[in-house]
mmCIF file with all atom_site columns, all heavy atoms in Angstrom:
data_model
loop_
_atom_site.group_PDB
_atom_site.id
_atom_site.type_symbol
_atom_site.label_atom_id
_atom_site.label_alt_id
_atom_site.label_comp_id
_atom_site.label_asym_id
_atom_site.label_entity_id
_atom_site.label_seq_id
_atom_site.pdbx_PDB_ins_code
_atom_site.Cartn_x
_atom_site.Cartn_y
_atom_site.Cartn_z
_atom_site.occupancy
_atom_site.B_iso_or_equiv
_atom_site.pdbx_formal_charge
_atom_site.auth_seq_id
_atom_site.auth_comp_id
_atom_site.auth_asym_id
_atom_site.auth_atom_id
_atom_site.pdbx_PDB_model_num
ATOM 1  N N   . SER X 1 271 ? -19.206 -30.332 -16.290 1.00 0.00 ? 271 SER X N   1
ATOM 2  C CA  . SER X 1 271 ? -20.524 -30.160 -16.919 1.00 0.00 ? 271 SER X CA  1
ATOM 3  C C   . SER X 1 271 ? -20.792 -31.177 -18.024 1.00 0.00 ? 271 SER X C   1
ATOM 4  O O   . SER X 1 271 ? -21.884 -31.187 -18.602 1.00 0.00 ? 271 SER X O   1
ATOM 5  C CB  . SER X 1 271 ? -20.647 -28.740 -17.494 1.00 0.00 ? 271 SER X CB  1
ATOM 6  O OG  . SER X 1 271 ? -19.776 -28.561 -18.599 1.00 0.00 ? 271 SER X OG  1
ATOM 7  N N   . LEU X 1 272 ? -19.810 -32.034 -18.327 1.00 0.00 ? 272 LEU X N   1
ATOM 8  C CA  . LEU X 1 272 ? -19.937 -32.949 -19.457 1.00 0.00 ? 272 LEU X CA  1
ATOM 9  C C   . LEU X 1 272 ? -20.452 -34.341 -19.070 1.00 0.00 ? 272 LEU X C   1
ATOM 10 O O   . LEU X 1 272 ? -20.618 -35.192 -19.941 1.00 0.00 ? 272 LEU X O   1
ATOM 11 C CB  . LEU X 1 272 ? -18.590 -33.099 -20.174 1.00 0.00 ? 272 LEU X CB  1
ATOM 12 C CG  . LEU X 1 272 ? -18.075 -31.841 -20.866 1.00 0.00 ? 272 LEU X CG  1
ATOM 13 C CD1 . LEU X 1 272 ? -16.672 -32.069 -21.413 1.00 0.00 ? 272 LEU X CD1 1
ATOM 14 C CD2 . LEU X 1 272 ? -19.022 -31.406 -21.978 1.00 0.00 ? 272 LEU X CD2 1
ATOM 15 N N   . TYR X 1 273 ? -20.703 -34.562 -17.785 1.00 0.00 ? 273 TYR X N   1
ATOM 16 C CA  . TYR X 1 273 ? -21.228 -35.863 -17.374 1.00 0.00 ? 273 TYR X CA  1
ATOM 17 C C   . TYR X 1 273 ? -22.696 -36.009 -17.791 1.00 0.00 ? 273 TYR X C   1
ATOM 18 O O   . TYR X 1 273 ? -23.297 -35.083 -18.349 1.00 0.00 ? 273 TYR X O   1
ATOM 19 C CB  . TYR X 1 273 ? -21.040 -36.057 -15.878 1.00 0.00 ? 273 TYR X CB  1
ATOM 20 C CG  . TYR X 1 273 ? -19.607 -36.403 -15.520 1.00 0.00 ? 273 TYR X CG  1
ATOM 21 C CD1 . TYR X 1 273 ? -18.660 -35.407 -15.288 1.00 0.00 ? 273 TYR X CD1 1
ATOM 22 C CD2 . TYR X 1 273 ? -19.193 -37.730 -15.463 1.00 0.00 ? 273 TYR X CD2 1
ATOM 23 C CE1 . TYR X 1 273 ? -17.344 -35.731 -14.991 1.00 0.00 ? 273 TYR X CE1 1
ATOM 24 C CE2 . TYR X 1 273 ? -17.877 -38.063 -15.168 1.00 0.00 ? 273 TYR X CE2 1
ATOM 25 C CZ  . TYR X 1 273 ? -16.961 -37.065 -14.938 1.00 0.00 ? 273 TYR X CZ  1
ATOM 26 O OH  . TYR X 1 273 ? -15.654 -37.385 -14.655 1.00 0.00 ? 273 TYR X OH  1
ATOM 27 N N   . GLY X 1 274 ? -23.279 -37.181 -17.543 1.00 0.00 ? 274 GLY X N   1
ATOM 28 C CA  . GLY X 1 274 ? -24.624 -37.488 -18.030 1.00 0.00 ? 274 GLY X CA  1
ATOM 29 C C   . GLY X 1 274 ? -25.664 -36.449 -17.655 1.00 0.00 ? 274 GLY X C   1
ATOM 30 O O   . GLY X 1 274 ? -25.509 -35.714 -16.675 1.00 0.00 ? 274 GLY X O   1
ATOM 31 N N   . ASN X 1 275 ? -26.749 -36.401 -18.460 1.00 0.00 ? 275 ASN X N   1
ATOM 32 C CA  . ASN X 1 275 ? -27.810 -35.388 -18.293 1.00 0.00 ? 275 ASN X CA  1
ATOM 33 C C   . ASN X 1 275 ? -27.230 -33.981 -18.411 1.00 0.00 ? 275 ASN X C   1
ATOM 34 O O   . ASN X 1 275 ? -27.419 -33.133 -17.534 1.00 0.00 ? 275 ASN X O   1
ATOM 35 C CB  . ASN X 1 275 ? -28.528 -35.554 -16.957 1.00 0.00 ? 275 ASN X CB  1
ATOM 36 C CG  . ASN X 1 275 ? -29.231 -36.891 -16.842 1.00 0.00 ? 275 ASN X CG  1
ATOM 37 O OD1 . ASN X 1 275 ? -29.818 -37.376 -17.817 1.00 0.00 ? 275 ASN X OD1 1
ATOM 38 N ND2 . ASN X 1 275 ? -29.160 -37.510 -15.676 1.00 0.00 ? 275 ASN X ND2 1
ATOM 39 N N   . GLN X 1 276 ? -26.499 -33.754 -19.503 1.00 0.00 ? 276 GLN X N   1
ATOM 40 C CA  . GLN X 1 276 ? -25.808 -32.479 -19.699 1.00 0.00 ? 276 GLN X CA  1
ATOM 41 C C   . GLN X 1 276 ? -26.789 -31.312 -19.815 1.00 0.00 ? 276 GLN X C   1
ATOM 42 O O   . GLN X 1 276 ? -27.878 -31.441 -20.380 1.00 0.00 ? 276 GLN X O   1
ATOM 43 C CB  . GLN X 1 276 ? -24.954 -32.556 -20.972 1.00 0.00 ? 276 GLN X CB  1
ATOM 44 C CG  . GLN X 1 276 ? -23.791 -33.516 -20.881 1.00 0.00 ? 276 GLN X CG  1
ATOM 45 C CD  . GLN X 1 276 ? -23.050 -33.655 -22.201 1.00 0.00 ? 276 GLN X CD  1
ATOM 46 O OE1 . GLN X 1 276 ? -23.466 -33.091 -23.217 1.00 0.00 ? 276 GLN X OE1 1
ATOM 47 N NE2 . GLN X 1 276 ? -21.964 -34.425 -22.199 1.00 0.00 ? 276 GLN X NE2 1
ATOM 48 N N   . ASN X 1 277 ? -26.352 -30.186 -19.276 1.00 0.00 ? 277 ASN X N   1
ATOM 49 C CA  . ASN X 1 277 ? -27.082 -28.925 -19.429 1.00 0.00 ? 277 ASN X CA  1
ATOM 50 C C   . ASN X 1 277 ? -26.318 -28.098 -20.460 1.00 0.00 ? 277 ASN X C   1
ATOM 51 O O   . ASN X 1 277 ? -25.229 -27.596 -20.189 1.00 0.00 ? 277 ASN X O   1
ATOM 52 C CB  . ASN X 1 277 ? -27.143 -28.200 -18.082 1.00 0.00 ? 277 ASN X CB  1
ATOM 53 C CG  . ASN X 1 277 ? -27.915 -26.893 -18.143 1.00 0.00 ? 277 ASN X CG  1
ATOM 54 O OD1 . ASN X 1 277 ? -27.809 -26.135 -19.101 1.00 0.00 ? 277 ASN X OD1 1
ATOM 55 N ND2 . ASN X 1 277 ? -28.691 -26.630 -17.111 1.00 0.00 ? 277 ASN X ND2 1
ATOM 56 N N   . VAL X 1 278 ? -26.894 -27.962 -21.661 1.00 0.00 ? 278 VAL X N   1
ATOM 57 C CA  . VAL X 1 278 ? -26.140 -27.346 -22.749 1.00 0.00 ? 278 VAL X CA  1
ATOM 58 C C   . VAL X 1 278 ? -25.858 -25.872 -22.483 1.00 0.00 ? 278 VAL X C   1
ATOM 59 O O   . VAL X 1 278 ? -24.822 -25.340 -22.903 1.00 0.00 ? 278 VAL X O   1
ATOM 60 C CB  . VAL X 1 278 ? -26.874 -27.523 -24.101 1.00 0.00 ? 278 VAL X CB  1
ATOM 61 C CG1 . VAL X 1 278 ? -26.873 -28.969 -24.529 1.00 0.00 ? 278 VAL X CG1 1
ATOM 62 C CG2 . VAL X 1 278 ? -28.297 -26.982 -24.045 1.00 0.00 ? 278 VAL X CG2 1
ATOM 63 N N   . GLU X 1 279 ? -26.770 -25.201 -21.764 1.00 0.00 ? 279 GLU X N   1
ATOM 64 C CA  . GLU X 1 279 ? -26.513 -23.793 -21.444 1.00 0.00 ? 279 GLU X CA  1
ATOM 65 C C   . GLU X 1 279 ? -25.317 -23.658 -20.502 1.00 0.00 ? 279 GLU X C   1
ATOM 66 O O   . GLU X 1 279 ? -24.491 -22.748 -20.651 1.00 0.00 ? 279 GLU X O   1
ATOM 67 C CB  . GLU X 1 279 ? -27.754 -23.148 -20.798 1.00 0.00 ? 279 GLU X CB  1
ATOM 68 C CG  . GLU X 1 279 ? -28.890 -22.873 -21.757 1.00 0.00 ? 279 GLU X CG  1
ATOM 69 C CD  . GLU X 1 279 ? -29.760 -24.100 -22.004 1.00 0.00 ? 279 GLU X CD  1
ATOM 70 O OE1 . GLU X 1 279 ? -29.515 -25.143 -21.334 1.00 0.00 ? 279 GLU X OE1 1
ATOM 71 O OE2 . GLU X 1 279 ? -30.642 -24.033 -22.869 1.00 0.00 ? 279 GLU X OE2 1
ATOM 72 N N   . ALA X 1 280 ? -25.211 -24.582 -19.538 1.00 0.00 ? 280 ALA X N   1
ATOM 73 C CA  . ALA X 1 280 ? -24.075 -24.553 -18.617 1.00 0.00 ? 280 ALA X CA  1
ATOM 74 C C   . ALA X 1 280 ? -22.778 -24.834 -19.362 1.00 0.00 ? 280 ALA X C   1
ATOM 75 O O   . ALA X 1 280 ? -21.756 -24.168 -19.125 1.00 0.00 ? 280 ALA X O   1
ATOM 76 C CB  . ALA X 1 280 ? -24.287 -25.586 -17.499 1.00 0.00 ? 280 ALA X CB  1
ATOM 77 N N   . ILE X 1 281 ? -22.807 -25.800 -20.271 1.00 0.00 ? 281 ILE X N   1
ATOM 78 C CA  . ILE X 1 281 ? -21.616 -26.111 -21.064 1.00 0.00 ? 281 ILE X CA  1
ATOM 79 C C   . ILE X 1 281 ? -21.205 -24.904 -21.895 1.00 0.00 ? 281 ILE X C   1
ATOM 80 O O   . ILE X 1 281 ? -20.017 -24.563 -21.976 1.00 0.00 ? 281 ILE X O   1
ATOM 81 C CB  . ILE X 1 281 ? -21.869 -27.329 -21.979 1.00 0.00 ? 281 ILE X CB  1
ATOM 82 C CG1 . ILE X 1 281 ? -22.091 -28.578 -21.135 1.00 0.00 ? 281 ILE X CG1 1
ATOM 83 C CG2 . ILE X 1 281 ? -20.697 -27.540 -22.943 1.00 0.00 ? 281 ILE X CG2 1
ATOM 84 C CD1 . ILE X 1 281 ? -22.497 -29.800 -21.927 1.00 0.00 ? 281 ILE X CD1 1
ATOM 85 N N   . GLN X 1 282 ? -22.180 -24.235 -22.472 1.00 0.00 ? 282 GLN X N   1
ATOM 86 C CA  . GLN X 1 282 ? -21.892 -23.048 -23.271 1.00 0.00 ? 282 GLN X CA  1
ATOM 87 C C   . GLN X 1 282 ? -21.253 -21.956 -22.416 1.00 0.00 ? 282 GLN X C   1
ATOM 88 O O   . GLN X 1 282 ? -20.273 -21.324 -22.823 1.00 0.00 ? 282 GLN X O   1
ATOM 89 C CB  . GLN X 1 282 ? -23.193 -22.526 -23.899 1.00 0.00 ? 282 GLN X CB  1
ATOM 90 C CG  . GLN X 1 282 ? -23.093 -21.168 -24.600 1.00 0.00 ? 282 GLN X CG  1
ATOM 91 C CD  . GLN X 1 282 ? -22.278 -21.214 -25.875 1.00 0.00 ? 282 GLN X CD  1
ATOM 92 O OE1 . GLN X 1 282 ? -21.732 -22.261 -26.229 1.00 0.00 ? 282 GLN X OE1 1
ATOM 93 N NE2 . GLN X 1 282 ? -22.194 -20.099 -26.554 1.00 0.00 ? 282 GLN X NE2 1
ATOM 94 N N   . GLY X 1 283 ? -21.786 -21.758 -21.211 1.00 0.00 ? 283 GLY X N   1
ATOM 95 C CA  . GLY X 1 283 ? -21.238 -20.731 -20.327 1.00 0.00 ? 283 GLY X CA  1
ATOM 96 C C   . GLY X 1 283 ? -19.802 -21.034 -19.916 1.00 0.00 ? 283 GLY X C   1
ATOM 97 O O   . GLY X 1 283 ? -18.934 -20.154 -19.938 1.00 0.00 ? 283 GLY X O   1
#
Side-chain angles (χ1 to χ4, degrees):
S271 68
L272 294 174
Y273 283 87
N275 298 321
Q276 293 175 355
N277 181 320
V278 292
E279 286 83 5
I281 295 174
Q282 171 69 357

